[in-house]
Structure formats: structure tokens, C-alpha cells
Amino acid sequence: MGGGSLKGAWQVGAIQAVLETGFKPEMIYGISAGALNASFMVNEAGHQFAANKFVDWDLVNKKLLRFWLENITKPSDIGILKSKWSLGIDTLMSRFDGLLDTNPLHEKLKKYIDLTTLRRSPIALKVGAVNINSGEMHYADPLEQHFLDYLRASSSLPIIMPAIQIGGDYKNAFLDGGLREVVPVKKAIEDGATEIFAIATHPKKRDMEPINYRNLLSLIDRIKDISVNQFENNDLEWAEHYNENLMSIAGFSINKKVKLTIIRPDETVSVKLTEFTIDDIKSVIKAGYEKAYTVLH
């Protein structure tokens, strides 16, 4: 599951099409919005398995769809823009902590994601975040003590959202994994995956319209889109050439071919973090389903 902020709704539609093929994942990896979708799915699978020793993936899909349609309907469901006065004071005092107050999103994570359930789930999970002090990428799994902090960090967009202190340690702060990787295919292959559905949220080539680059939010969004698009292309191109190269990763010889299916939009998914409605979310989910259905059939 690749990153993409609200484009995670497009990913939800694609997930539905994948699960309709009968595919039953054993491991789910995510970055940014993909980390949220992945964690929700693994949590729901764990909940079902605890109740009846069985995972109904159709129900997992329905619960994920319902989460988005009931909880991600307007900008304030994600975060609240801080006042210019408080931003100015925080910046002057060297305590800047993002343009948005993301408590609304974090409260939803507390409500829907349970660490014990994740740990007992039969489906493996890893989410990627970047240490802003060292610049290193870290993939966290639920067995780690502060996994939920890493999950929050993985989906915390630089500048727009606050850096997340892992375990409350200000020296150990993390942000969106998309700073280094966008689609976590390499990590999945390192861990032994042999069949992968990689669901990205950006087109390979995108036409960008001019923006008001003196508007801070618009400028940040454009910078993010440019870098994320390139990182995503790099991740997927590496994966596409993997079977040809069968390279050595991290000192280990990898010689198993991987069945790889890439699902990504043909055009830019237009949905703005600061201006969207439930109808926008429904439209984006529908578009993701239609594209994935076409790829899979």
C-alpha cells in the first residue's frame, strides 16, 4: 500500500477489486495513507480471527469502506488548521509542530486500531516511517512497544502535520515514510514475499497545472507531489526489474522470482486535503475500484 494522503481513498477502491479475485494476503505493508489502510485491515482480520478463527476478507473490505465513508468526510475529520497567531508564536519560539492539529485523525486511530488485536492477528503488518534526525527509514511491526506512534508518524505529512515523538522521546522523532520510500515493495521482497499486489496512488507521468506558489499550503502540496511521484516511480521500476536482475539485497542473496501486479491510476487523483466532501471520497473510491478491476481482468 503506497502513500498518498487522501488518495488513500482511491486505494480503498483498488483493495476491493483485489480482494474480489479471492486473493488472501498473508502480509500487508503500508506507508503513509497506505499504512492506515493496512493497519485497519490487519486489525479487522485480527478481530475476526479472535472471534471465529477465520478471516472473511469480504467483510474486511466492507468495514474499510465503511470507515472511510463514515469518518473521512470533510477536512476537519483529518485535522484543524492552526491560527496564524499560534503558528507565528510557535515558529518564533522554535516549537513549530505542523500547520494542522491532527488530533481528530489520531483519535480515530485510537478508536479503530488496537495494539493487542494487531499483535494477535494472523496477518503480518509493517509500516514505514522516517527518523528526521538520522534520515533513516524504519519499518515497524506491532510487536514493537511503540508501534502506534510509528503508525501515526508514517501518516504525518512533513510541515503540514507534526513530527511524532516515539514513546515521547523528543530525540526520536519520525515523519511520513514517503520521505524515503512510497510503495514498500522492496521491504516486502526482503521479507520473502513471492506474490505482491502493489497499490500505488499516483500516475507514472502526471500533467501539473500552474499553482499559486506564494500560497504556503499550495506550495507544500506541490513539492510533496513532485517528490512523491518520483519516489513512487523509483520504487515500482525497481520492483518491475527485480526478476530480471535478481540482485542481492542487504547482503542476502535473493533468487526467488516474484509475481508482481502493479495497480496505479492513469491520471492524477484530484482530492485536496484542505477542501473535500464525502462525494469526493465516494468518487475517488469508485475510480480506484474501476481501474483495479480493469487491470485484474
Side-chain angles (χ1 to χ4, degrees), residues 72-172:
I72 312 296
T73 64
K74 56 187 182 301
S76 61
D77 290 335
I78 303 295
I80 300 171
L81 185 63
K82 297 176 182 177
S83 70
K84 294 179 180 178
W85 183 84
S86 65
L87 286 172
I89 293 298
D90 287 344
T91 301
L92 288 173
M93 299 296 292
S94 296
R95 59 188 189 197
F96 176 77
D97 202 26
L99 299 175
L100 293 181
D101 175 353
T102 52
N103 278 326
L105 176 60
H106 294 164
E107 287 302 315
K108 291 178 176 62
L109 294 182
K110 291 179 183 178
K111 179 179 178 180
Y112 288 95
I113 305 295
D114 177 72
L115 185 57
T116 299
T117 302
L118 290 177
R119 289 174 173 172
R120 294 177 178 175
S121 178
I123 312 303
L125 169 68
K126 286 188 178 179
V127 302
V130 171
N131 186 315
I132 61 171
N133 289 311
S134 68
E136 295 179 351
M137 185 80 175
H138 176 68
Y139 280 96
D141 69 65
L143 292 179
E144 295 186 40
Q145 180 181 3
H146 301 295
F147 173 80
L148 295 180
D149 287 342
Y150 285 110
L151 173 58
R152 291 166 57 209
S154 182
S155 57
S156 197
L157 302 173
I159 302 178
I160 295 176
M161 298 178 178
I164 303 300
Q165 298 175 6
I166 306 302
D169 181 1
Y170 73 93
K171 295 181 180 179
N172 198 23

Side-chain angles (χ1 to χ4, degrees), residues 28 31 45 77-78 81 106 138 146 152 159 167 180 185 207 241 246 262 269:
I28 306 182
I31 289 174
D77 290 335
I78 303 295
L81 185 63
H106 294 164
H138 176 68
H146 301 295
R152 291 166 57 209
I159 302 178
R180 290 290 300 268
V185 283
D207 296 322
H241 293 104
L246 288 176
I262 295 175
V269 178

Side-chain angles (χ1 to χ4, degrees), residues 221-266:
D221 200 45
R222 176 52 56 87
I223 293 171
K224 174 179 66 66
D225 281 345
I226 293 172
S227 59
V228 165
N229 209 134
Q230 186 57 53
F231 289 158
E232 186 172 275
N233 285 343
N234 293 344
D235 294 337
L236 295 176
E237 287 172 8
W238 180 93
E240 287 177 314
H241 293 104
Y242 166 79
N243 283 336
E244 301 171 15
N245 300 328
L246 288 176
M247 62 178 61
S248 175
I249 303 175
F252 296 95
S253 179
I254 307 296
N255 54 20
K256 289 184 179 180
K257 287 193 174 183
V258 174
K259 181 180 179 181
L260 175 68
T261 302
I262 295 175
I263 300 171
R264 67 191 307 188
D266 296 319

Side-chain angles (χ1 to χ4, degrees), residues 27 29 139 184-194 196 258:
M27 306 182 289
Y29 291 69
Y139 280 96
V185 283
K186 184 179 292 187
K187 184 60 178 176
I189 292 174
E190 286 180 4
D191 287 352
T194 55
I196 299 174
V258 174

